[in-house]
Structure formats: C-alpha cells, structure tokens
C-alpha cells in the first residue's frame, strides 16, 4: 500500500449521534513515506464527562480555547483527499466522521484491529497499548489522538511484515478468505511478493500446521513417588516453601490436603469449604496426584470456570512440578466442541462461497491460528458473540467424525487430547464435560476412581443443563445452514441433470430452506408474543419463563410449532430417500467425496434428536421435569436467540446414580458451600442423605485472614423496602450509595441483584459522581466485565456497578477497592423457572421450600458477594448491606452467622456513615 492516511479521534463518548469529536490526528503516507501530519483539539461546546477528562487528560479549558469543528472541517476534508484511511477500530472513527460530514471523504477504510485479530489470533489484548507490549513498538497509553495514530502506523508495518513472512500457500488461502469476508485487506495483501509467487501448493498437500509435528507424550501412569507425607511438601520448610519467595505457612492448606488424602484413601464423600486465601487448589491437586500415582488409578478434577482451569494450568501445575521435580501427571480435557476438526475446517476453506462474510473473516483467523496451536482448543482464540456459531461449523462433533477413516486422524486434536488423558494419572476437566459425558453414547473422559469437584457450588447448575434437554434455535439454524451447503455441493457433484441422486439432493436442499423459513416464523412469533406478554422490549436483556401446555404463549404459538414439526419431518423423509438412493447407487464415481451413507445417518440421527426434544419440551414434558424458555441477546454484539430447556427438578438421584457412584472417593470443595456452618442443604439436595456416617465427612477450613480486624460490616436499616414505591426506593438507594462512596473518593464495588435496578440507579448517580470527580463504571453500560475490572483496578476514584457475574470470581486486592455495597439480599427471582418448580414440590406439607432451598442459595451468594472485599492479608475495608431484612427478619441471622466475621454495626444511614468514617480514620 503506497498511499494512505492513518487517523484517530478522541470523542466525548461512544455514540456518534450524541457525542462530539474533541481531538483529531492524521498522518499521511505517500509512496511509503510519511509526508504530512495534522493534529488539533476541537471545541465541542459541552462540558466533558469526568471519565473522558481522566482518560485523555484533556480539560474543558483547553477545549474552550480550541477551534470548533466547523472551523476546521475544510482542513480535514482536504487532508483526506480521497485516499484510503487506516485506523485501529476504524469503524468508530468512520461513524463519527460520517455522522458529522454526511459523506466519507476517503476512498476506503481499513481496520488494523480486524487484521491484527486475524494475524495474531492468540493475543488476549487487542488495544493499542496491549499490542505495543506484545509486538514491541512504542506507544504512550494516554488516549491522545496523535499517540494512537503513530502507534497505528507502527502496528500496520508489523502486520504487513507478519503477512509477508507467511508461506505463499497459506497467504493465498488467507487472501481468498479475506475476499470472501469482503475485507479490503485482501487487496493490500495481494501486493505482497509471496502472494504473487508461482507456487501453487495447497494446504492439503502440505503440513503447515503445528499439530503435524509429532508431539510425544509421556506414558506416566506407572511412575511411583517415594512415600512422603503432606508435611514434607506443604509444611514449614517443606518443598513449597522453597519455591515461593514470599512463602508463609498456611495451616489451613496443610489441613485440607490431609483431609483430601484421607478421604481418597478411605473412599469417602467429603465436603470441604476452604475460605479465601487457604491455597485450596494446591491442597487438593497434590494429594490427588499422590493418590493416583500410589494406587495406579485415575482421578478426575472438575472446575466450573475457564479462569480456574487456566490458573491451574499456568500457575499451580508448574508450581507442583517444581515441588515434586516431575514434568507430568496432569492432562486437560474439554468437551468435543472445544476442539477444532481439521477435516471440517479444511472442507470449508476448500469450498469458499460468498455468503456469510463475517464467518470467513473468522475462518481466516482460524487458518493462521492453526499454524501455531498444539491443542486446537478454542479457548486460545478468545471467541466472542456470533463467532461461537461459526465455530460450530468447524469444531469436532460426534455426528460428523469419521474416526479411523479420516485422513487427519493421526493429527486430530481431540484424539490426541484423549490419548494424553488416558495416559495421565489426573485429568482436569470442567463441569460441562463431566455431565455431558455421563449421558453421551461415546465417552470422552477415561474411567476414573476418584473425583474432585472444585467450584462445587455450581455443580447443580451444570447438572440442570446437561442432565436435561436443550434446544438452541440459533444452533439449529447454523447447523441447517452448513448441512444445506453439504446438499447443495453434493447436488452439483453429479454430472448428469437427470441423475436421480442429483434431483434428490436438490430437493433436500430446498427442504432445508423451507425448514429454515418455518423456524424463523416460529421463533419470530414466539419471541414477539413472549416479549409482549412479559412487557419487555424485544431482544433487550434476558427473559426466562416456564413453558406450560395450557399457557397463553404455548397455545398461541402452537400452529407455528406444528408447522415447524411438519417441515422437520419432511426433511427427515427427504434425507431418507437420499440415503436409500445412495445405497442403490454403489458406483464410486457417481457419489461425491463427502456424500457417504455415514454422513446421512448422522444427519438423520441429529434430526431425530431435534424432533424428540422439541416435542418433549413443547407437549410431552415428563414428570419431574420443568420445561422453560430463555430469550436473550439482541444487543449490538449479540443476535437474539431463543433456547428451550427441559430440566430435571430433583437431580439428587441422578447425581447419585450417574456421577457419585462411579467414583470411590468424591471431594466437593469451594470457598462458599456451608450455610450456618452446615452442609445439610447440599447433602439433602444431592441425594447423599442415605450415606453411612463414616462415609461422609464435612470440613470447614477457615480463611487465614482476620476478617474482624480487616473488615467492618454494617447494615443500613432505615431504607425503604424494595417492594415500596419504586421511585421512593431508588431515590433512597441512590442517596445511600452516593453518600457512602463519596467519603472514600470512590474505590467501591456496588453489587446489584438485577440489571434493571443497576441501570436505574446508574442514571441517577452518574451526574452526582461526575460532579464529585468520581468515575462511575456500569456493567454493560460503560463496557464488558473484563474491560471494566481492568479500568477499575488501575484507577483510584472509581465506582463499579455490577450485577450477577460480579458477585463471584472477582479478585481486586489492594487499594483500588475499599468498600463493597450489597444493595439487596440475593434471593433468586420468584419467576426463575427451575426455582419455581422446585419450590412447588418442596412446599408440600412437611417441607419448607424457603428454608431448605431459597434461603441457602441466597446465603451462598451473599457470602460470595462479601468475599469480594478481602483478598489478601493486607486488604482492609468496608462491607455495607443496604437491605434491612438482614436484621429485621428472623432468617437474617442465617446470613450473618454464615460470614467469617463476628461483629457488625446496624442502624440508620447517618449513624452508619459516622461510624464508618471513624473506622476509616
Ligand atoms: S478424526 Fe474426527 S474429529 Fe478428528 S479431524 Fe477427523 S473427522 Fe475431525
């Protein structure tokens, strides 16, 4: 690319219709050399939000002395003069310029963000400063237009260098994918020497991928370690102390490790609540590995979140390896859909079509990723939004895997991961694979004798999903689209127009199109009716509700449902006809490469499953199941989707029969499992009541932190109840949050139980915080969780408003966080379908659903929220609860008794504020 400009804008906000440009910088490149630069501040005629002033360092005074946009417009248009514009996240700049000018003064625009994601697919930070670190170029991370423009010039040169070094066959495929993705980068890369070379190799003929290198894995199930006790590793002056520079003995860790060791040896079921700071991961990894090596049996460890798996992989296992002087022992295994299928991917990129351009941009990224990945695991790609559906077209699935007859089997990622798991004493997996494997015909996990479940408070959620049925209409549509391509392609493979197979394939392709239309009609009507019924704006947020046969929603959509079933059955008979005809025509030249009876059988099986599951959810719900619908998405980054579920109501006997009985020793652990120092609620719900007492153990390992010294808990008693008039309630909560936070200059995390309440309080408190020089960060308003937490950790005067996902897994040690405000006790919403169904059963005579189910869940959640504050021995701070029910209701003491703190203050807001100020001082 010889001639172009690089441009960056700073603005007063994110909305091009509402917000203003406050700074512009441009650099002009002609014949590969920088020839001109332009930069100016722009007077927006408004006061800047505090967050923008802090982010850019630009003040209102500086802007007041700057020209207005109308004064500099001719300069801007003149500078751009019809050559391509390059920028990082250029769509943002383009939309502001388009809104301002009404037309675009440059010929085309190219986004370095788009190309960086493709050429460096494994990066985890695509911001300019993140890229500067990863690619080693200079960038002042101060959000000023000229600094960002210079960084974008450097980034562009790094991108062209990387693309220029690609093998010519890879580069040519990349260009084809970019072209199919309508990316202007295809034309730029076509100019590179490797793209012009005569070499016509194909990806299929060559081994470009990292997986083609034969990685040996160690067969290590028979290794024996000397019989050394836990103290030798974790005790004072033990092996762990030699590995950690700031080592402190953690008696809780030693205690927990010994409990795990004994429980596995004695084949017990054991619940262990390990308070924050115990070091619980090492406390179960070590004895589990020692047990597996000693007994030559396998153990499985299951976690709920990817974050914990990553922590185990990158921190805990390397630490254990150096302690034990070993370099083996653990294998990671995830569900099939996490691994790429080389056969499916290469099939797609060998048959590029012109529809779904965004999918091809994603496949371009996958192509480059395959050059380096050794695991083929999608978590390395940081997939977001619709990319998840594109991934479904290239991931491994049981239906399309041809196993031994696949030409890629020796390089296949899932096969290798399974082999590695077979050969490792301990396999680390996640709850979703643990449960999906229980009901799968072909198992992925090896058989195991010991099971450790970390983040066990999420076990039931995973069981609900995987032991029941789930139909995602978005997934169904994406599967049909790729299946449709299969039939379309197969039909063109038959030479003669009167060939019966050609005709049948075409008819099947048309049947798929009709089915897709029927699905669209059903989903559109269903979503429209449901959002209207529940008073939601279509597609905003999340709605969950029960599907009852006699409900208005089911009845009014029944005709569309029958229509959908008709077209599903029609497709099924069409495919059966193809299958029969395929059986008749045995001549190989008449049958295209991937039109094999096994593929057709797989498609038929999948259709049968959809038919069965749909009719089960809609009209034949079995006893002991609750059927429900979830409508979500519809925001800028996510398409609206509708998912149906049939969930078993009582999972206790299923867990017992399918999971716990398989293993001889089972450990459940988490930082939050007990309620009022007991585990009875879980023992009962998970069907473990009948275990003999000597086979069941419960242990609480206290946190090493001194909560009574490090933390001050207070309860504000004089705010109105949530069910009083909404305006009165939100006004009172707004005032309370602002007064409590202002005194600390921010440094506060506010936990909400619903996003609608978060939004209501956000809009009221925002101007107050702006005036006070405190930066308010609202989840899904100012950004996603990762970005907001990063910003919160960096700044001093921040307040973070978060709902559901912020109650746990958030680790903010140090000074940025000094206060956690819990707005409301976190009871599940009364309309939660699974909760409703469980409560109906539990509220029968002799049971008390509130005390047995609703209260324990809320207490666990409350403990998680409380646990956000103190994350290290140095942390200190305040927890304020704005829900007076904790002291006024009888059940409130269960919340208080379950916390690791003995004292608290309660009273009116004024008194609480006064006491808090004293404590802080
Ligand atoms: S063996 Fe199965 S999963 Fe692996 S590449 Fe081949 S078809 Fe895909």
């Amino acid at each position: 690319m010889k001639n172009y400009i690089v441009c960056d804008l700073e603005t007063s906000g994110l909305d091009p219709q509402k917000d203003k440009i406050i700074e512009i910088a441009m650099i002009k490149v002609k014949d590969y050399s920088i020839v001109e630069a332009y930069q100016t501040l722009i007077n927006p005629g408004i006061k800047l939000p505090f967050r923008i002033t802090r982010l850019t360092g630009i003040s209102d005074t500086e802007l007041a002395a700057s020209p207005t946009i109308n004064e500099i417009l001719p300069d801007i248009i003149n500078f751009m003069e019809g050559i391509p514009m390059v920028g990082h996240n250029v769509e943002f700049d383009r939309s502001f310029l388009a809104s301002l000018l009404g037309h675009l003064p440059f010929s085309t625009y190219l986004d370095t963000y788009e190309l960086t994601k493709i050429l460096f697919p494994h990066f985890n930070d695509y911001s300019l400063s993140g890229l500067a670190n990863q690619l080693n170029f200079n960038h002042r991370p101060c959000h000023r237009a000229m600094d960002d423009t210079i960084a974008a010039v450097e980034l562009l040169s790094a991108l062209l260098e990387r693309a220029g070094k690609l093998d010519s066959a890879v580069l040519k495929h990349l260009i084809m994918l970019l072209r199919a993705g309508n990316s202007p980068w295809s034309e730029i890369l076509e100019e590179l020497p490797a793209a012009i070379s005569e070499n016509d190799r194909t990806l299929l003929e060559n081994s470009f991928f990292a997986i083609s290198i034969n990685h040996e894995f160690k067969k290590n199930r028979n290794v024996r370690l000397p019989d050394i006790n836990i103290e030798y590793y974790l005790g004072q002056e033990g092996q762990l102390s030699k590995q950690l520079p700031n080592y402190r003995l953690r008696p809780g860790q030693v205690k927990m490790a010994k409990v795990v060791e004994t429980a596995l040896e004695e084949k017990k079921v054991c619940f262990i609540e390990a308070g924050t700071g115990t070091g619980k991961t090492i406390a179960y990894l070590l004895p589990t590995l020692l047990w597996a090596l000693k007994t030559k049996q396998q153990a499985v460890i299951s976690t709920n979140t990817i974050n914990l798996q990553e922590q185990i992989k990158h921190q805990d296992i390397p630490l254990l390896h150096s302690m034990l002087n070993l370099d083996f022992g653990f294998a990671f295994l995830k569900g099939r859909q996490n691994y790429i299928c080389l056969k499916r991917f290469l099939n797609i990129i060998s048959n590029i079509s012109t529809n779904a351009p965004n999918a091809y941009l994603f496949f371009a990224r996958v192509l480059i990723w395959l050059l380096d990945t050794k695991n083929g695991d999608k978590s390395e790609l940081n997939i977001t939004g619709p990319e998840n559906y594109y991934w479904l077209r290239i991931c491994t699935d049981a239906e399309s895997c041809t196993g031994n007859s696949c030409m890629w089997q020796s390089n296949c990622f899932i096969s290798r991961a399974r082999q590695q798991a077979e050969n490792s004493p301990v396999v680390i997996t996640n709850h979703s694979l643990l449960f999906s494997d229980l009901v799968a015909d072909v198992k992925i996990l090896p058989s195991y004798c010991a099971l450790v479940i970390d983040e066990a408070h999420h076990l039931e959620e995973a069981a609900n999903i995987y032991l029941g049925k789930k139909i995602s209409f978005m997934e169904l549509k994406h599967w049909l689209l790729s299946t449709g391509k299969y039939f379309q392609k197969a039909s063109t493979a038959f030479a003669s127009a009167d060939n019966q197979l050609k005709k049948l394939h075409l008819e099947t392709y048309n049947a798929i199109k009709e089915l897709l239309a029927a699905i669209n009609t059903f989903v559109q009507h269903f979503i429209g009716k449901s959002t209207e019924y529940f008073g939601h704006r279509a597609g905003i947020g999340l709605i969950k509700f029960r599907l009852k046969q006699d409900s208005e929603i089911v009845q009014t959509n029944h005709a569309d449902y029958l229509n959908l079933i008709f077209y599903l059955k029609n497709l099924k008979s069409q495919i059966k006809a193809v299958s029969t005809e395929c059986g008749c025509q045995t001549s190989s030249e008449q049958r295209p490469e991937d039109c094999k009876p096994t593929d057709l059988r797989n498609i038929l099986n999948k259709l049968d499953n959809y038919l069965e599951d749909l009719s089960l959810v809609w009209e034949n719900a079995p006893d002991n199941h609750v059927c429900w619908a979830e409508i979500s998405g519809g925001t800028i980054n996510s398409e609206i989707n509708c998912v149906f579920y049939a969930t078993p109501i009582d999972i206790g006997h299923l867990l017992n029969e399918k999971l716990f009985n398989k293993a001889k020793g089972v450990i459940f652990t988490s930082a939050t499992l007990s309620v009022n120092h007991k585990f009875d609620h879980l023992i009962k719900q998970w069907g473990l009541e009948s275990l003999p007492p000597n086979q069941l153990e419960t242990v609480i390992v206290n946190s090493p932190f001194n909560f009574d010294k490090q933390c001050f808990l207070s309860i504000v008693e004089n705010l109105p109840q949530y069910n009083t008039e909404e305006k009165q309630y939100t006004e009172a909560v707004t005032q309370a949050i602002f007064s409590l936070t202002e005194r600390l200059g921010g440094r506060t995390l506010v936990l909400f139980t619903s996003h609608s309440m978060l939004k209501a309080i956000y809009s009221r408190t925002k101007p107050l915080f702006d005036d006070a020089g405190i930066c308010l960060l609202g989840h899904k308003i100012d950004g996603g969780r990762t970005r907001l937490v990063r910003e919160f950790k960096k700044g001093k005067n921040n307040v973070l408003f978060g709902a559901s996902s912020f109650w746990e897994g958030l680790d903010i040690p140090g000074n940025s966080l000094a206060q956690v405000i819990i707005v409301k006790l976190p009871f599940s919403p009364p309309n939660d379908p699974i909760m409703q169904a469980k409560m109906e059963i539990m509220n029968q005579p002799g049971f008390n659903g509130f005390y047995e189910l609703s209260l324990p869940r809320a207490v666990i959640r409350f403990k998680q929220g409380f646990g956000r504050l103190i994350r290290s021995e140095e942390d200190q701070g305040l927890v304020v609860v704005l829900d007076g029910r904790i002291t006024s209701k009888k059940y409130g003491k269960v919340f208080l008794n379950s916390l690791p703190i003995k004292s608290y203050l309660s009273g009116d807001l004024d008194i609480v504020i006064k006491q808090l100020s004293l404590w802080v001082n």
Side-chain angles (χ1 to χ4, degrees):
M1 187 164 47
K2 277 166 69 179
N3 305 324
Y4 57 92
I5 57 154
V6 183
C7 173
D8 188 72
L9 305 177
E10 298 304 329
T11 60
S12 64
L14 301 177
D15 185 345
Q17 306 305 326
K18 237 175 52 201
D19 296 310
K20 310 281 181 201
I21 301 175
I22 57 169
E23 188 180 29
I24 183 165
M26 294 182 280
I27 286 177
K28 186 176 284 179
V29 174
K30 274 200 169 165
D31 294 327
Y32 306 107
S33 304
I34 294 178
V35 292
E36 206 178 342
Y38 175 94
Q39 181 271 335
T40 180
L41 288 175
I42 302 166
N43 183 351
I46 54 163
K47 186 174 170 351
L48 275 191
F50 174 70
R51 189 177 178 211
I52 302 296
T53 306
R54 194 179 70 171
L55 198 69
T56 58
I58 299 172
S59 68
D60 287 321
T61 324
E62 281 176 283
L63 291 179
S66 304
T68 64
I69 189 78
N70 287 335
E71 287 166 337
I72 55 158
L73 261 187
D75 296 344
I76 296 178
I77 295 169
N78 201 22
F79 196 97
M80 292 179 162
E81 66 169 327
I83 56 175
M85 177 170 108
V86 179
H88 198 63
N89 260 326
V90 75
E91 179 54 35
F92 176 81
D93 308 272
R94 188 207 67 81
S95 60
F96 268 86
L97 289 169
S99 149
L100 180 73
L101 304 169
H103 72 287
L104 295 172
F106 36 83
S107 58
T108 183
Y109 57 99
L110 298 117
D111 194 349
T112 48
Y113 175 84
E114 177 187 290
L115 191 60
T116 314
K117 275 191 88 175
I118 291 168
L119 290 176
F120 298 98
H122 56 283
F123 280 5
N124 51 18
D125 183 356
Y126 291 98
S127 67
L128 277 174
S129 43
L131 292 170
N133 285 336
Q134 294 168 101
L135 292 170
N136 275 331
F137 60 80
N138 289 326
H139 176 237
R140 283 201 311 147
C142 55
H143 290 278
R144 290 301 298 261
M146 188 46 90
D147 290 301
D148 288 354
T149 305
I150 294 168
V153 172
E154 297 234 29
L155 173 60
L156 178 62
S157 125
L159 291 173
L160 294 178
E161 190 186 328
R162 160 84 170 147
K165 285 182 181 164
L166 291 173
D167 180 280
S168 66
V170 175
L171 181 61
K172 284 176 186 171
H173 269 83
L174 176 64
I175 292 168
M176 283 194 278
L177 290 168
L178 291 174
R179 217 180 284 136
N182 295 335
S183 168
W185 287 112
S186 59
E187 288 172 31
I188 309 299
L189 300 196
E190 273 166 6
E191 294 167 11
L192 294 169
I196 307 162
S197 93
E198 291 298 310
N199 188 343
D200 270 337
R201 293 183 304 163
T202 71
L203 292 179
L204 295 174
E205 290 162 15
N206 293 279
S207 305
F208 295 102
F209 308 133
I211 193 71
S212 60
I213 302 158
N214 195 14
H215 297 286
E216 282 297 322
F217 29 73
K218 295 185 170 59
K219 298 199 172 179
N220 47 37
R221 299 241 336 244
N222 292 328
V223 174
R224 286 212 66 152
L225 283 177
D227 215 357
I228 296 171
N229 65 23
I230 293 291
E231 295 278 354
Y232 172 80
Y233 293 107
L234 303 182
Q236 191 81 51
E237 295 179 21
Q239 294 302 304
L240 182 62
S241 70
K242 295 178 184 139
Q243 305 300 326
L244 300 174
N246 300 319
Y247 170 80
R248 275 188 209 168
L249 176 70
R250 300 196 225 188
Q253 188 178 51
V254 179
K255 176 181 168 183
M256 177 170 170
K258 286 180 179 173
V259 170
V260 173
E261 184 184 42
T262 313
L264 294 180
E265 269 168 17
E266 296 178 3
K267 304 182 178 86
K268 284 184 179 173
V269 170
C270 182
F271 286 82
I272 308 174
E273 178 176 270
T276 320
T278 304
K280 77 170 157 39
T281 321
I282 292 286
Y284 65 70
L285 284 174
L286 174 69
T288 306
L289 177 65
L290 295 180
W291 172 87
L293 290 174
K294 190 167 152 188
T295 62
K296 295 191 183 155
Q297 301 184 86
Q298 277 191 293
V300 162
I301 292 174
S302 180
T303 70
N304 187 55
T305 54
I306 291 175
N307 285 354
L308 182 55
Q309 278 170 48
E310 293 294 301
Q311 180 211 301
I312 292 178
K313 192 173 193 172
H314 300 295
Q315 288 176 30
D316 299 310
I317 289 182
L319 184 61
L320 268 182
H321 281 163
S322 24
M323 269 167 67
L324 299 167
N325 202 14
L326 296 176
D327 65 347
F328 65 86
F330 300 95
F332 285 80
L333 198 53
K334 298 182 179 175
R336 278 177 193 281
Q337 289 195 345
N338 288 281
Y339 300 92
I340 189 165
C341 167
L342 289 168
K343 186 188 90 169
R344 291 181 87 194
F345 176 70
L346 290 166
N347 201 15
I348 281 192
I349 66 165
S350 316
N351 296 287
I352 294 174
S353 64
T354 47
N355 52 12
N358 288 341
Y360 285 105
L361 291 184
F362 174 67
F363 297 144
R365 197 163 153 233
V366 174
L367 172 68
I368 303 301
W369 169 66
L370 276 174
L371 304 179
D372 290 321
T373 180
K374 293 184 181 67
N375 301 315
D377 175 350
K378 79 170 196 180
S379 68
E380 296 169 7
L381 274 171
N382 300 316
I383 292 176
T384 53
E387 289 179 345
N388 283 297
Y389 296 109
Y390 311 145
W391 175 261
L392 290 178
R393 292 172 57 186
I394 54 171
C395 67
T396 304
D397 71 1
E399 286 87 11
S400 63
C401 177
T402 44
N404 290 341
S405 61
C406 169
M407 68 179 282
W408 291 95
Q409 213 218 6
S410 60
N411 300 118
C412 171
F413 292 103
I414 176 84
S415 308
R416 297 175 69 85
R418 284 172 69 177
Q419 265 176 287
Q420 194 139 24
E422 289 287 346
N423 285 293
S424 294
V426 181
V427 179
I428 294 169
T429 187
N430 49 33
H431 296 354
S432 57
L433 176 57
L434 191 68
F435 284 108
S436 54
D437 213 47
L438 292 177
V439 287
D441 296 332
V442 184
K443 310 282 182 211
I444 297 183
L445 283 171
S447 55
Y448 49 89
C449 292
L451 178 61
V452 179
I453 298 177
D454 196 354
E455 301 179 303
H457 58 281
H458 282 295
L459 190 72
E460 207 171 318
E461 260 164 55
N464 283 340
I465 294 174
Y466 293 99
L467 297 182
K469 303 281 182 198
K470 176 183 169 190
I471 306 141
S472 157
F473 285 95
M474 189 80 85
E475 265 181 51
L476 171 57
K477 273 164 49 179
H478 279 274
W479 174 67
L480 284 170
L481 283 170
S482 63
T483 308
K485 287 204 182 89
Y486 165 94
F487 284 99
Q488 192 185 24
K489 182 189 157 205
S491 71
T492 56
F494 298 101
S496 148
D498 57 4
N499 184 309
Q500 177 65 2
L501 264 178
K502 183 182 184 86
K503 192 168 151 264
L504 283 171
H505 275 83
L506 258 181
E507 282 170 5
T508 309
Y509 176 57
N510 289 332
I512 288 177
K513 288 204 285 190
E514 285 167 345
L515 174 56
L516 278 165
I519 294 171
N520 281 339
T521 309
F522 173 76
V523 171
Q524 264 172 27
H525 288 177
F526 182 81
I527 291 175
K529 191 78 205 163
S530 314
T531 45
E532 180 191 315
Y533 185 84
F534 291 102
H536 267 252
R537 270 194 300 141
I540 303 296
L542 174 81
I543 322 175
K544 287 182 189 179
F545 55 92
R546 282 172 84 171
L547 287 172
K548 288 186 173 175
Q549 254 181 287
D550 55 358
S551 68
E552 192 187 324
I553 291 175
V554 169
Q555 304 228 329
T556 44
N557 288 286
H558 195 63
D560 287 331
Y561 160 78
L562 291 175
N563 192 44
L564 169 57
I565 294 291
F566 170 83
Y567 282 106
L568 265 169
K569 286 183 176 165
N570 177 48
L571 176 60
K572 206 179 128 185
S573 29
Q574 199 64 48
I575 295 173
K576 270 189 181 160
V578 177
S579 180
T580 312
E581 190 64 27
C582 272
C584 301
Q585 293 193 16
T586 50
S587 158
S588 58
E589 63 276 28
Q590 280 182 303
R591 192 179 296 161
E593 156 56 21
D594 52 359
C595 169
K596 298 190 188 85
T598 45
D599 295 317
L600 296 173
R601 251 198 315 276
N602 292 332
I603 294 171
L604 275 173
N605 286 345
K606 206 156 174 165
L607 275 177
D608 271 336
N609 288 342
Y610 272 118
L611 267 166
E612 195 184 305
D613 293 352
L614 252 177
S615 85
L616 181 140
V617 170
W618 193 263
E619 47 188 350
N620 299 309
D623 291 343
N624 193 26
H625 275 67
V626 52
C627 295
W628 53 288
E630 181 182 271
I631 297 172
S632 61
T635 52
I636 300 167
N637 295 321
S638 65
E639 244 179 283
I640 193 159
N641 189 20
C642 175
V643 184
F644 287 174
Y645 296 89
T647 305
I649 299 171
D650 172 16
I651 55 155
H653 72 280
L654 284 174
L655 287 176
N656 236 323
E657 172 201 333
K658 292 186 182 285
L659 189 65
F660 307 150
N661 281 347
K662 281 185 70 183
K664 290 173 189 149
V666 183
I667 312 289
F668 301 103
T669 185
S670 161
T672 48
L673 280 181
S674 73
V675 171
N676 221 351
H677 312 288
K678 295 193 183 109
F679 297 82
D680 299 2
H681 57 291
L682 295 179
I683 293 172
K684 195 167 178 190
Q685 277 161 42
W686 294 356
L688 296 165
E689 283 169 304
S690 55
L691 278 181
N694 63 352
Q695 255 200 282
L696 180 68
E697 191 172 357
T698 59
V699 178
I700 295 180
V701 179
N702 290 328
S703 163
F705 306 152
N706 187 340
F707 283 91
D708 282 297
K709 269 197 171 163
Q710 293 180 252
C711 171
F712 191 94
L713 169 66
S714 45
I715 293 131
V716 178
E717 290 178 318
N718 66 329
L719 296 191
Q721 284 293 301
Y722 178 64
N723 49 13
T724 49
E725 206 200 319
E726 194 188 325
K727 192 163 175 258
Q728 197 190 340
Y729 176 78
T730 35
E731 273 310 323
V733 172
T734 300
Q735 278 313 320
I737 291 174
F738 180 67
S739 320
L740 287 161
T741 309
E742 192 194 14
R743 276 161 181 76
L744 291 174
R747 303 195 295 147
T748 298
L749 167 68
V750 186
L751 294 173
F752 291 87
T753 50
S754 82
H755 207 261
S756 56
M757 198 200 292
L758 182 154
K759 270 178 28 193
I761 307 281
Y762 179 96
S763 60
R764 284 177 163 81
T765 45
K766 175 87 175 147
L768 302 175
F769 283 128
D770 261 349
D771 285 345
I774 292 172
C775 180
L776 175 59
L777 304 168
H779 184 218
K780 293 192 188 161
I781 301 169
D782 296 305
R785 179 181 143 124
T786 314
R787 190 170 138 197
L788 292 188
V789 172
R790 205 187 300 142
E791 192 172 338
F792 183 86
K793 281 181 178 176
K794 271 199 234 155
K796 282 189 189 131
N797 307 98
N798 290 324
V799 180
L800 179 55
F801 279 14
S804 53
S805 67
F806 285 73
W807 285 74
E808 66 175 309
L810 194 66
D811 199 14
I812 309 175
N815 276 338
S816 342
L817 179 64
Q819 176 171 246
V820 171
I821 298 178
I822 293 177
V823 176
K824 226 174 129 245
L825 294 179
F827 285 104
S828 300
N831 55 358
D832 178 85
I834 302 176
M835 197 67 176
Q836 254 184 12
K838 285 187 188 242
M839 291 290 272
E840 278 168 16
I841 290 184
M842 295 191 90
N843 277 336
Q844 285 162 13
F847 295 96
N848 186 327
F850 176 76
Y851 275 96
E852 290 181 32
L853 190 69
S854 183
L855 181 62
R857 286 186 184 198
V859 171
I860 299 275
R861 196 90 179 123
F862 181 72
K863 285 169 72 174
Q864 286 160 352
F866 177 89
R868 295 311 99 218
L869 182 69
I870 304 296
R871 308 301 298 170
S872 75
E873 274 158 9
E874 286 73 41
D875 279 350
Q876 294 201 332
L878 316 163
V879 175
V880 186
V881 183
L882 300 183
D883 191 332
R885 288 178 296 175
I886 202 164
T887 51
S888 67
K889 299 285 181 190
K890 203 171 134 204
Y891 59 73
K893 62 176 182 299
V894 182
F895 285 90
L896 293 169
N897 287 348
S898 301
L899 294 179
I901 185 168
K902 291 183 202 75
S903 56
Y904 65 90
L905 165 85
S906 60
D908 289 358
L909 182 63
D910 293 349
I911 296 169
V912 167
I913 288 176
K914 208 181 280 172
Q915 291 301 320
L916 291 185
S917 307
L918 286 176
W919 192 84
V920 170
N921 291 334

